[in-house]
Amino acid sequence: MEMASISSNPRTVEEIFKDYSGRRGGIVRALTHDVDEFYGICDPEKDNLCLYGHPNENWEVSLPAEEVPPELPEPALGINFARDGMNRKDWLSLVAVHSDCWLLSVSFYLGARLNRNERKRLFSLINDLPTVFEVVTEKKPAKDMIPGADSGNKSKSGTKRSNDGQVRSSMPKVAVEENYEEEDEEDEHGDTQCGSCGGNYNGDEFWIGCDICERWYHGKCVKITPAKAETIKQYKCPYCVMKRARP
């Protein structure tokens, strides 16, 4: 089984997301395109087996690492034992759920040294992808199963992140010190309303500010995701775009 040395582990948000994407792609391939091969390898008569996804988008079914503690978090142990006692589709769904848990645990293990904002950005990038469970159960299109390797490495200077991890335009009014508590920020932005739906600010939702009119919007209202916001140098809301287009 491929195991990276501690010194070679990814350290930045982009590197960790690329590692996650590769491992996820390998697992999705095992549970979809290569499912017959995967199913045959998981013989209940064998010892405890684990499904590993590797950063190079390969997958492997093997025994768990022998070292204690392991270098990386280990996936679910003994996935083969339940194979013949369950409906095939249900068993694959169960493996998918455990694989999603493992992928997240590896990413946040590698990201142990990230700060609060970086962890939120990492999760936001991950959350923009369908889970393995969603792909296997066909709740999300399989075409999204292996994202572009560089989808998480574009960051423009035109956006800033507040201490709740939301992507925001680089206007002075949104600069929030990292040592502020969440409740302080809720008070600060509590009277902010979405320029599209009129909803009040909520720190649990993604917001983006227009660099022209300085209005704030729910990302979902203007169809901007955190990952897409990373690629925007200067954001113009739909109203400003329309005004600029008028003669």
Side-chain angles (χ1 to χ4, degrees):
M1 183 179 61
E2 300 175 14
M3 296 293 286
S5 67
I6 291 293
S7 60
S8 64
N9 280 340
R11 292 303 181 198
T12 68
V13 170
E14 289 73 22
E15 289 172 343
I16 295 171
F17 178 66
K18 184 176 180 180
D19 179 273
Y20 169 89
S21 300
R23 294 179 189 275
R24 173 183 169 278
I27 290 176
V28 168
R29 182 173 289 111
L31 298 179
T32 54
H33 185 271
D34 300 340
V35 66
D36 290 333
E37 179 185 355
F38 169 71
Y39 191 86
I41 292 174
C42 294
D43 185 349
E45 298 300 321
K46 296 181 180 179
D47 290 332
N48 295 306
L49 295 177
C50 301
L51 172 60
Y52 294 89
H54 296 304
N56 61 2
E57 299 183 6
N58 288 330
W59 60 273
E60 178 183 8
V61 173
S62 67
L63 296 172
E66 294 182 359
E67 63 263 34
V68 178
E71 187 175 341
L72 290 175
E74 286 290 302
L77 180 66
I79 57 173
N80 51 314
F81 293 152
R83 191 196 72 175
D84 292 348
M86 298 178 65
N87 172 278
R88 171 167 163 152
K89 187 175 181 180
D90 291 341
W91 177 72
L92 291 172
S93 297
L94 180 63
V95 174
V97 169
H98 282 291
S99 297
D100 280 320
C101 295
W102 176 67
L103 289 169
L104 282 174
S105 68
V106 170
S107 291
F108 279 82
Y109 173 84
L110 297 176
R113 293 182 176 86
L114 298 178
N115 62 36
R116 179 182 177 185
N117 289 349
E118 289 171 332
R119 289 195 303 272
K120 288 195 173 186
R121 184 156 64 94
L122 173 61
F123 180 76
S124 178
L125 291 170
I126 291 173
N127 202 40
D128 280 344
L129 299 177
T131 63
V132 177
F133 176 78
E134 288 173 329
V135 174
V136 170
T137 58
E138 299 181 344
K139 292 186 177 181
K140 291 284 185 177
K143 67 180 181 179
D144 295 330
M145 73 178 188
I146 305 175
D150 63 348
S151 60
N153 63 2
K154 295 181 180 178
S155 178
K156 300 292 186 179
S157 59
T159 58
K160 287 186 178 181
R161 295 185 177 275
S162 66
N163 73 325
D164 64 354
Q166 309 296 343
V167 180
R168 298 196 169 160
S169 60
S170 54
M171 296 180 288
K173 70 173 185 176
V174 303
V176 181
E177 295 297 327
E178 284 193 6
N179 60 351
Y180 280 10
E181 296 295 332
E182 284 189 2
E183 55 268 24
D184 294 336
E185 191 192 2
E186 290 287 349
D187 293 338
E188 179 183 352
H189 297 285
D191 58 348
T192 301
Q193 293 183 323
C194 175
S196 178
C197 71
N200 290 327
Y201 173 80
N202 184 342
D204 294 330
E205 297 179 298
F206 168 67
W207 288 65
I208 187 167
C210 176
D211 287 301
I212 306 301
C213 68
E214 300 190 358
R215 291 192 185 98
W216 288 99
Y217 297 87
H218 289 111
K220 61 185 179 183
C221 289
V222 291
K223 298 182 180 180
I224 299 292
T225 64
K228 185 176 181 180
E230 287 289 333
T231 68
I232 300 174
K233 185 175 182 180
Q234 183 184 54
Y235 175 67
K236 297 178 184 177
C237 71
Y239 298 101
C240 290
V241 171
M242 289 173 61
K243 284 198 307 183
R244 196 173 184 85
R246 292 173 185 167

PDB file of all heavy atoms in Angstrom, residues 69-85:
ATOM      1  N   PRO A  69       0.642   4.100  16.127  1.00  0.00           N
ATOM      2  CA  PRO A  69      -0.517   4.472  15.307  1.00  0.00           C
ATOM      3  C   PRO A  69      -0.143   4.567  13.835  1.00  0.00           C
ATOM      4  O   PRO A  69       1.021   4.754  13.506  1.00  0.00           O
ATOM      5  CB  PRO A  69      -0.898   5.844  15.868  1.00  0.00           C
ATOM      6  CG  PRO A  69       0.408   6.414  16.328  1.00  0.00           C
ATOM      7  CD  PRO A  69       1.184   5.246  16.887  1.00  0.00           C
ATOM      8  N   PRO A  70      -1.120   4.442  12.932  1.00  0.00           N
ATOM      9  CA  PRO A  70      -0.820   4.520  11.504  1.00  0.00           C
ATOM     10  C   PRO A  70      -0.377   5.934  11.107  1.00  0.00           C
ATOM     11  O   PRO A  70      -0.665   6.900  11.809  1.00  0.00           O
ATOM     12  CB  PRO A  70      -2.154   4.155  10.839  1.00  0.00           C
ATOM     13  CG  PRO A  70      -3.184   4.537  11.852  1.00  0.00           C
ATOM     14  CD  PRO A  70      -2.557   4.253  13.187  1.00  0.00           C
ATOM     15  N   GLU A  71       0.304   6.010   9.977  1.00  0.00           N
ATOM     16  CA  GLU A  71       0.799   7.317   9.515  1.00  0.00           C
ATOM     17  C   GLU A  71      -0.343   8.244   9.137  1.00  0.00           C
ATOM     18  O   GLU A  71      -0.270   9.451   9.338  1.00  0.00           O
ATOM     19  CB  GLU A  71       1.730   7.114   8.323  1.00  0.00           C
ATOM     20  CG  GLU A  71       2.421   8.389   7.868  1.00  0.00           C
ATOM     21  CD  GLU A  71       3.425   8.126   6.773  1.00  0.00           C
ATOM     22  OE1 GLU A  71       3.845   6.970   6.604  1.00  0.00           O
ATOM     23  OE2 GLU A  71       3.794   9.085   6.080  1.00  0.00           O
ATOM     24  N   LEU A  72      -1.396   7.686   8.561  1.00  0.00           N
ATOM     25  CA  LEU A  72      -2.600   8.434   8.213  1.00  0.00           C
ATOM     26  C   LEU A  72      -3.807   7.727   8.830  1.00  0.00           C
ATOM     27  O   LEU A  72      -3.733   6.541   9.134  1.00  0.00           O
ATOM     28  CB  LEU A  72      -2.782   8.503   6.692  1.00  0.00           C
ATOM     29  CG  LEU A  72      -1.819   9.365   5.891  1.00  0.00           C
ATOM     30  CD1 LEU A  72      -2.099   9.198   4.400  1.00  0.00           C
ATOM     31  CD2 LEU A  72      -1.933  10.826   6.279  1.00  0.00           C
ATOM     32  N   PRO A  73      -4.919   8.426   9.022  1.00  0.00           N
ATOM     33  CA  PRO A  73      -6.132   7.745   9.493  1.00  0.00           C
ATOM     34  C   PRO A  73      -6.471   6.579   8.578  1.00  0.00           C
ATOM     35  O   PRO A  73      -6.270   6.645   7.360  1.00  0.00           O
ATOM     36  CB  PRO A  73      -7.198   8.845   9.416  1.00  0.00           C
ATOM     37  CG  PRO A  73      -6.438  10.128   9.544  1.00  0.00           C
ATOM     38  CD  PRO A  73      -5.134   9.886   8.849  1.00  0.00           C
ATOM     39  N   GLU A  74      -6.991   5.513   9.157  1.00  0.00           N
ATOM     40  CA  GLU A  74      -7.301   4.301   8.404  1.00  0.00           C
ATOM     41  C   GLU A  74      -8.771   4.283   7.986  1.00  0.00           C
ATOM     42  O   GLU A  74      -9.642   4.757   8.722  1.00  0.00           O
ATOM     43  CB  GLU A  74      -7.001   3.059   9.252  1.00  0.00           C
ATOM     44  CG  GLU A  74      -5.511   2.758   9.393  1.00  0.00           C
ATOM     45  CD  GLU A  74      -4.907   2.279   8.079  1.00  0.00           C
ATOM     46  OE1 GLU A  74      -5.371   1.267   7.526  1.00  0.00           O
ATOM     47  OE2 GLU A  74      -3.976   2.951   7.597  1.00  0.00           O
ATOM     48  N   PRO A  75      -9.063   3.725   6.799  1.00  0.00           N
ATOM     49  CA  PRO A  75     -10.469   3.585   6.388  1.00  0.00           C
ATOM     50  C   PRO A  75     -11.171   2.486   7.176  1.00  0.00           C
ATOM     51  O   PRO A  75     -10.557   1.807   7.999  1.00  0.00           O
ATOM     52  CB  PRO A  75     -10.357   3.224   4.902  1.00  0.00           C
ATOM     53  CG  PRO A  75      -8.998   2.639   4.737  1.00  0.00           C
ATOM     54  CD  PRO A  75      -8.118   3.285   5.759  1.00  0.00           C
ATOM     55  N   ALA A  76     -12.467   2.313   6.922  1.00  0.00           N
ATOM     56  CA  ALA A  76     -13.257   1.314   7.638  1.00  0.00           C
ATOM     57  C   ALA A  76     -12.647  -0.076   7.455  1.00  0.00           C
ATOM     58  O   ALA A  76     -12.267  -0.469   6.351  1.00  0.00           O
ATOM     59  CB  ALA A  76     -14.697   1.324   7.140  1.00  0.00           C
ATOM     60  N   LEU A  77     -12.577  -0.803   8.540  1.00  0.00           N
ATOM     61  CA  LEU A  77     -11.936  -2.119   8.554  1.00  0.00           C
ATOM     62  C   LEU A  77     -12.974  -3.222   8.338  1.00  0.00           C
ATOM     63  O   LEU A  77     -14.066  -3.176   8.898  1.00  0.00           O
ATOM     64  CB  LEU A  77     -11.233  -2.327   9.900  1.00  0.00           C
ATOM     65  CG  LEU A  77     -10.495  -3.642  10.125  1.00  0.00           C
ATOM     66  CD1 LEU A  77      -9.298  -3.748   9.193  1.00  0.00           C
ATOM     67  CD2 LEU A  77     -10.046  -3.742  11.583  1.00  0.00           C
ATOM     68  N   GLY A  78     -12.623  -4.200   7.532  1.00  0.00           N
ATOM     69  CA  GLY A  78     -13.484  -5.373   7.350  1.00  0.00           C
ATOM     70  C   GLY A  78     -14.687  -5.142   6.462  1.00  0.00           C
ATOM     71  O   GLY A  78     -15.754  -5.727   6.690  1.00  0.00           O
ATOM     72  N   ILE A  79     -14.536  -4.314   5.420  1.00  0.00           N
ATOM     73  CA  ILE A  79     -15.680  -4.036   4.544  1.00  0.00           C
ATOM     74  C   ILE A  79     -16.156  -5.293   3.827  1.00  0.00           C
ATOM     75  O   ILE A  79     -17.316  -5.388   3.416  1.00  0.00           O
ATOM     76  CB  ILE A  79     -15.326  -2.958   3.494  1.00  0.00           C
ATOM     77  CG1 ILE A  79     -14.114  -3.390   2.653  1.00  0.00           C
ATOM     78  CG2 ILE A  79     -15.067  -1.619   4.159  1.00  0.00           C
ATOM     79  CD1 ILE A  79     -13.810  -2.463   1.490  1.00  0.00           C
ATOM     80  N   ASN A  80     -15.257  -6.285   3.694  1.00  0.00           N
ATOM     81  CA  ASN A  80     -15.602  -7.511   2.969  1.00  0.00           C
ATOM     82  C   ASN A  80     -16.551  -8.421   3.750  1.00  0.00           C
ATOM     83  O   ASN A  80     -17.291  -9.210   3.165  1.00  0.00           O
ATOM     84  CB  ASN A  80     -14.336  -8.275   2.610  1.00  0.00           C
ATOM     85  CG  ASN A  80     -13.418  -8.500   3.790  1.00  0.00           C
ATOM     86  OD1 ASN A  80     -13.163  -7.570   4.566  1.00  0.00           O
ATOM     87  ND2 ASN A  80     -12.904  -9.719   3.955  1.00  0.00           N
ATOM     88  N   PHE A  81     -16.568  -8.322   5.077  1.00  0.00           N
ATOM     89  CA  PHE A  81     -17.350  -9.261   5.878  1.00  0.00           C
ATOM     90  C   PHE A  81     -18.848  -9.126   5.642  1.00  0.00           C
ATOM     91  O   PHE A  81     -19.601 -10.095   5.766  1.00  0.00           O
ATOM     92  CB  PHE A  81     -17.041  -9.083   7.367  1.00  0.00           C
ATOM     93  CG  PHE A  81     -15.641  -9.476   7.742  1.00  0.00           C
ATOM     94  CD1 PHE A  81     -15.000  -8.885   8.816  1.00  0.00           C
ATOM     95  CD2 PHE A  81     -14.947 -10.428   7.016  1.00  0.00           C
ATOM     96  CE1 PHE A  81     -13.705  -9.243   9.159  1.00  0.00           C
ATOM     97  CE2 PHE A  81     -13.658 -10.785   7.336  1.00  0.00           C
ATOM     98  CZ  PHE A  81     -13.029 -10.194   8.422  1.00  0.00           C
ATOM     99  N   ALA A  82     -19.317  -7.927   5.333  1.00  0.00           N
ATOM    100  CA  ALA A  82     -20.759  -7.707   5.161  1.00  0.00           C
ATOM    101  C   ALA A  82     -21.211  -7.877   3.713  1.00  0.00           C
ATOM    102  O   ALA A  82     -22.406  -7.765   3.431  1.00  0.00           O
ATOM    103  CB  ALA A  82     -21.127  -6.299   5.645  1.00  0.00           C
ATOM    104  N   ARG A  83     -20.284  -8.205   2.826  1.00  0.00           N
ATOM    105  CA  ARG A  83     -20.634  -8.211   1.399  1.00  0.00           C
ATOM    106  C   ARG A  83     -21.776  -9.163   1.058  1.00  0.00           C
ATOM    107  O   ARG A  83     -22.751  -8.780   0.410  1.00  0.00           O
ATOM    108  CB  ARG A  83     -19.403  -8.576   0.564  1.00  0.00           C
ATOM    109  CG  ARG A  83     -19.590  -8.351  -0.917  1.00  0.00           C
ATOM    110  CD  ARG A  83     -18.539  -9.056  -1.746  1.00  0.00           C
ATOM    111  NE  ARG A  83     -18.754 -10.509  -1.740  1.00  0.00           N
ATOM    112  CZ  ARG A  83     -18.038 -11.360  -2.472  1.00  0.00           C
ATOM    113  NH1 ARG A  83     -17.045 -10.893  -3.239  1.00  0.00           N
ATOM    114  NH2 ARG A  83     -18.275 -12.660  -2.436  1.00  0.00           N
ATOM    115  N   ASP A  84     -21.678 -10.399   1.493  1.00  0.00           N
ATOM    116  CA  ASP A  84     -22.669 -11.402   1.096  1.00  0.00           C
ATOM    117  C   ASP A  84     -23.923 -11.374   1.958  1.00  0.00           C
ATOM    118  O   ASP A  84     -24.904 -12.053   1.646  1.00  0.00           O
ATOM    119  CB  ASP A  84     -22.048 -12.802   1.139  1.00  0.00           C
ATOM    120  CG  ASP A  84     -20.993 -12.987   0.056  1.00  0.00           C
ATOM    121  OD1 ASP A  84     -20.925 -12.128  -0.851  1.00  0.00           O
ATOM    122  OD2 ASP A  84     -20.243 -13.977   0.119  1.00  0.00           O
ATOM    123  N   GLY A  85     -23.889 -10.604   3.037  1.00  0.00           N
ATOM    124  CA  GLY A  85     -25.062 -10.547   3.908  1.00  0.00           C
ATOM    125  C   GLY A  85     -25.968  -9.376   3.607  1.00  0.00           C
ATOM    126  O   GLY A  85     -26.958  -9.148   4.310  1.00  0.00           O
TER     127      GLY A  85
END
